Amino acid sequence: MTSPDPGQGAGAAAAQPAGAAAQSGGATAAAPGTPATQQQAGQQPVTQGAPDGQSTRTSRFASTPARMRIARALATGAALLTGILATGTFDTSGVNATPNVLAAQWQAAEATGVEIAGADLEAARLVAAEGDAPDSREALTEHLAEAAAAQSGSGSGDPTEARDIVRVTVLSGQAAEQAVTDQEAAATTLDEASTLARQVAERSDALARDHASTLAAGSRSGLAATVGVLTTAALIGVLVFMALRTRRILNVPLLAATLITGWLTFSSMNPAALPLNLQDRVDEGSRTATALQEVLQAGQAGYAVALGSDLDLGSELSSATQAVDELDNSSLSESWRTVASGLEGITEAEGQQARLDVVQGQRSDLDGVISELRERFDQQESVSGAVGTSAAVGSGLALVLGVVAAGLAWFGITRRLQDYR
């Protein structure tokens, strides 16, 4: 056998300590906190991150408060919006006047038709008297001035109507001047003025009906009903969401807010829902104005037909009779029927003077009916004030309920949000 070389043994022995030293040096050079170092220190490795299931659950539950805050804002805004719209100051055509202003505009629109009809009657009397009727001339000027003032306060926003009233004033003055020398020409001018006056009255009547409808509706409007249905549905959805998220079946404040919003919506669709029903009071005022205007126009038609106009006197008298009967005042209806029966004799009289004598023969009784209707009409100022006040109360109540509902919705969800935390 060949014996090992002493040099190789010595080299192997030297190599082993060198390798150990190299390993020791490498371990020493490793950065503190590394897994190798932790293992040497007898520590377990640190696990990075959480299990996927736990992370998903944490993310899902962390989003619930944010969703509840969104639901709170939605519910609060929906309840408040319903209350604002239920005031009746907004509809699909834009912004309405407040109830007290609307009541004044309604009164002014009614007065425009009445005053222009009164001016038309006095102009006819002035022409029939061949311009020699100081009382009628003074009354004509007064009626025209009041008609212009009423039209400016009616909220029509139509410059055509104001110009037509000015035109009626001019034509009435011309007819009065022509009557002194040429009654036939005066009658023609009177017909032109009367046609224009009736057009003004028709427009003012339509405006008065619009105002009366809006005023009588109080807090009710189509826009409030439509939005109310949507907001109530949204609040019900929030109620369901809160029940599912918080595992509590009922949120009492939010439920109360939903009920208030639902009632406001119902009141916007059902006139009987509001305790302040203004329909009867508004209708009474409108009927009085209509009756007075119809009687004035029928009286004017009597003079116009006597002067040769082709107006349908029978139709004019019939319209006035129907309007007076709607006031449900038997004494007044009987007085007017007596006047109407007398005016019907105009068509049977022969000659202009004979026809004028028939009209003049009914003047005293006609003025009595007009005076009584005028007294009833003048009382409308207090009626319109009361109507405006009542409507304002209804609108204010709707707004207060909307604010209360919004506060309840905010409180109810906020409380659940605090419990959730």
Side-chain angles (χ1 to χ4, degrees):
M1 297 178 55
T2 306
S3 61
D5 188 359
Q8 289 180 347
Q16 290 178 355
Q23 291 177 358
S24 175
T28 304
T34 61
T37 304
Q38 292 171 350
Q39 279 185 336
Q40 289 178 2
Q43 299 176 356
Q44 295 295 327
V46 177
T47 302
Q48 299 294 327
D52 291 341
Q54 182 180 352
S55 176
T56 302
R57 289 193 300 271
T58 302
S59 175
R60 184 174 71 248
F61 286 111
S63 67
T64 297
R67 294 180 182 178
M68 291 173 65
R69 292 188 187 96
I70 294 174
R72 180 175 62 183
L74 174 65
T76 303
L80 184 59
L81 178 61
T82 304
I84 292 174
L85 294 180
T87 61
T89 53
F90 298 91
D91 62 16
T92 53
S93 63
V95 181
N96 292 326
T98 56
N100 58 322
V101 172
L102 192 61
Q105 290 176 343
W106 164 59
Q107 170 69 22
E110 297 281 19
T112 302
V114 167
E115 297 301 340
I116 201 69
D120 201 17
L121 173 59
E122 295 302 334
R125 286 175 170 175
L126 191 56
V127 170
E130 298 181 352
D132 187 18
D135 292 344
S136 291
R137 188 181 296 273
E138 183 180 351
L140 171 63
T141 302
E142 183 179 349
H143 284 306
L144 288 171
E146 291 182 357
Q151 190 278 330
S152 65
S154 65
S156 67
D158 184 5
T160 301
E161 189 168 354
R163 289 196 299 266
D164 285 348
I165 292 177
V166 173
R167 181 63 178 161
V168 170
T169 303
V170 173
L171 290 173
S172 297
Q174 289 179 356
E177 295 300 326
Q178 291 171 344
V180 178
T181 57
D182 188 350
Q183 199 169 42
E184 183 177 351
T188 301
T189 304
L190 178 65
D191 277 346
E192 185 180 353
S194 179
T195 300
L196 195 56
R198 289 170 185 268
Q199 292 174 356
V200 172
E202 288 176 1
R203 289 196 296 267
S204 66
D205 290 346
L207 179 62
R209 286 193 296 270
D210 289 342
H211 286 332
S213 176
T214 305
L215 187 60
S219 299
R220 298 180 293 275
S221 71
L223 180 62
T226 301
V227 174
V229 169
L230 297 176
T231 54
T232 303
L235 286 174
I236 293 174
V238 173
L239 269 171
V240 174
F241 167 79
M242 294 296 296
L244 294 175
R245 283 292 174 176
T246 62
R247 295 187 179 182
R248 297 192 180 185
I249 298 176
L250 191 61
N251 187 319
V252 176
L254 184 57
L255 176 62
T258 305
L259 292 176
I260 292 173
T261 303
W263 184 85
L264 289 174
T265 303
F266 178 69
S267 68
S268 298
M269 297 185 288
N270 183 7
L274 286 177
L276 302 173
N277 191 353
L278 309 176
Q279 189 68 55
D280 291 341
R281 304 177 74 177
V282 172
D283 286 347
E284 181 182 357
S286 296
R287 285 194 297 266
T288 301
T290 300
L292 176 55
Q293 182 176 317
E294 291 288 349
V295 167
L296 289 168
Q297 289 177 341
Q300 190 277 340
Y303 280 97
V305 170
L307 291 168
S309 173
D310 58 356
L311 277 173
D312 187 349
L313 180 59
S315 176
E316 295 286 340
L317 294 175
S318 177
S319 296
T321 300
Q322 181 179 357
V324 173
D325 287 345
E326 288 182 359
L327 296 179
D328 197 21
N329 186 314
S330 57
S331 175
L332 185 59
S333 294
E334 184 177 352
S335 297
W336 166 247
R337 287 179 183 277
T338 300
V339 175
S341 178
L343 291 176
E344 287 174 353
I346 296 174
T347 57
E348 300 175 359
E350 296 181 0
Q352 178 175 303
Q353 188 57 50
R355 293 193 295 269
L356 287 174
D357 288 343
V358 172
V359 179
Q360 288 294 95
Q362 299 298 322
R363 177 166 181 169
S364 177
D365 292 339
L366 175 62
D367 286 345
V369 174
I370 291 174
S371 177
E372 186 172 350
L373 286 171
R374 170 68 71 171
E375 183 178 353
R376 291 169 63 101
F377 176 74
D378 289 341
Q379 292 175 354
Q380 271 193 196
E381 292 186 3
S382 60
V383 171
S384 64
V387 166
T389 301
S390 299
V393 170
S395 295
L397 177 63
L399 180 59
V400 169
L401 287 175
V403 172
V404 170
L408 287 171
W410 180 275
F411 172 75
I413 299 178
T414 299
R415 185 174 179 180
R416 288 290 181 266
L417 185 59
Q418 292 171 348
D419 294 343
Y420 186 84
R421 291 175 181 175

